[in-house]
Amino acid sequence: MTTGDADVSGILRNLGEQLSEVEILQSMYPGDGELELSQPAILDDINQYLEKQEVLPDRVELSLRLKIDECTGDLEAIFSLPREYPEAAFPTLYIRSDSFSRESQATINQDVRAFMERELVKGEPAVIAIISWIQEHADKYVYRQNDDSKMPTKAAKVESSGRFSRYWIYSHHIYSKIKRKNILDMSREYDVTGFCLPGKPGILCIEGDEKNCSDWWSVVRNWNWKRLSLKIIEEEEGEVEGKRIFQGFCEIGEVKSGSRDYHMDMGQFQTFLDQQ
């Protein structure tokens, strides 16, 4: 068997395992909005590849909403399954809930990664075990109004660092609907303004309080990216609101449906910048 044959054989095994695991999850969470695939046709794409080995499908990305007793709303777990999973890699994962403070949300994401490294074994499906860990432990991270720790909620005003920052970030591409939704949601959570330019390449710009920008970046950089780099940091002393150039956070344009090599119209991008 050649190296190329071995690579294809490994991909086939991994995709077969991923397909089975997602189908089990669909049977476990059949409710409306419980489990969502970033690309609804991805399972058909995997089946096609398993049969013909022609077009390699994109990685599986899914969002799972869980009911946790202590959470006032749903807990959302966002999974991305690398092609090397489960044989040689773990899923990448991000957990979020309105019932978490910013600090506890960061902590649960650190702790679940530690659990994966400590308890799980590469070569075996892991998503269901991770979900079980979340269901068992999530209530420990929920903010409680009368908790003696008095951790601030996400809605609470974070004390300003007194410094303004603007980050310019380059990505090889930004296609994933789940990533793009989370980027938009997190702009509100961390009170940053700016934009997301999806497509290939992808460009992100965030601005706001220095600590908020740093905390936002520490989360986003740990998602699964082909290539993501922080190109420019602009920093200034003084009141943050007067230094912003963007009103809110928005996505510029849209990725054409079905296209995975869509290049953004740079003229449209320049027009957007000129309007700020």
Side-chain angles (χ1 to χ4, degrees):
M1 180 182 290
T2 66
T3 301
D5 291 337
D7 290 344
V8 171
S9 178
I11 290 172
L12 289 171
R13 287 194 302 272
N14 286 333
L15 290 180
E17 291 275 9
Q18 292 181 22
L19 182 64
S20 297
E21 193 166 27
V22 173
E23 288 174 341
I24 290 171
L25 289 170
Q26 287 178 322
S27 67
M28 292 172 63
Y29 300 98
D32 185 32
E34 277 191 295
L35 188 151
E36 295 182 358
L37 293 167
S38 176
Q39 298 181 63
I42 189 64
L43 302 187
D44 291 335
D45 293 343
I46 292 175
N47 274 314
Q48 284 288 321
Y49 185 78
L50 293 176
E51 292 176 8
K52 300 179 180 179
Q53 291 89 65
E54 291 179 348
V55 179
L56 190 63
D58 297 318
R59 70 180 63 229
V60 175
E61 293 183 328
L62 61 91
S63 172
L64 182 65
R65 294 187 178 276
L66 299 171
K67 299 289 186 184
I68 305 295
D69 288 343
E70 297 291 336
C71 292
T72 56
D74 291 341
L75 177 149
E76 185 178 17
I78 301 103
F79 291 88
S80 178
L81 309 184
R83 295 196 182 105
E84 299 80 11
Y85 168 78
E87 197 167 272
F90 292 128
T92 57
L93 170 67
Y94 181 62
I95 302 167
R96 61 184 300 132
S97 171
D98 288 340
S99 296
F100 297 153
S101 69
R102 184 186 299 180
E103 289 82 357
S104 63
Q105 184 159 287
T107 302
I108 192 174
N109 279 286
Q110 293 167 359
D111 289 351
V112 73
R113 285 193 290 270
F115 159 74
M116 291 161 61
E117 294 290 342
R118 184 180 65 250
E119 302 290 343
L120 302 184
V121 178
K122 289 176 182 174
E124 298 180 0
V127 174
I128 293 174
I130 294 168
I131 293 169
S132 296
W133 185 93
I134 295 170
Q135 290 173 321
E136 182 178 349
H137 295 87
D139 64 321
K140 301 174 186 176
Y141 303 88
V142 173
Y143 169 79
R144 294 173 177 82
Q145 188 69 30
N146 297 319
D147 195 327
D148 291 338
S149 65
K150 298 291 190 270
M151 294 174 69
T153 65
K154 289 186 200 177
K157 183 179 177 70
V158 177
E159 184 177 351
S160 173
S161 67
R163 288 180 61 84
F164 171 81
S165 291
R166 183 179 297 116
Y167 289 11
W168 295 89
I169 302 160
Y170 171 91
S171 173
H172 178 270
H173 64 264
I174 303 175
Y175 293 126
S176 165
K177 292 180 180 178
I178 290 177
K179 270 198 186 94
R180 287 154 55 199
K181 177 182 180 297
N182 286 332
I183 286 168
L184 291 169
D185 289 345
M186 286 182 58
S187 70
R188 294 186 290 271
E189 180 181 330
Y190 288 83
D191 190 26
V192 295
T193 51
F195 66 85
C196 171
L197 177 73
K200 183 179 180 181
I203 300 173
L204 293 163
C205 178
I206 63 163
E207 60 179 13
D209 182 80
E210 179 186 51
K211 184 177 188 307
N212 288 353
C213 290
S214 176
D215 290 348
W216 182 97
W217 173 240
S218 70
V219 173
V220 173
R221 69 187 298 185
N222 285 310
W223 296 349
N224 194 50
W225 301 91
K226 182 170 183 178
R227 185 163 66 251
L228 184 74
S229 57
L230 177 54
K231 292 295 188 182
I232 300 172
I233 299 180
E234 303 173 32
E235 294 182 329
E236 296 182 61
E237 296 285 350
E239 198 273 328
V240 169
E241 297 307 318
K243 299 184 183 298
R244 296 183 193 263
I245 61 174
F246 300 103
Q247 301 298 315
F249 191 97
C250 67
E251 184 171 285
I252 308 171
E254 59 182 351
V255 176
K256 294 178 181 177
S257 178
S259 173
R260 296 297 289 177
D261 196 32
Y262 172 59
H263 293 256
M264 186 61 196
D265 182 347
M266 289 297 124
Q268 184 179 3
F269 178 38
Q270 187 60 53
T271 298
F272 170 78
L273 294 179
D274 291 343
Q275 292 172 346
Q276 303 309 306

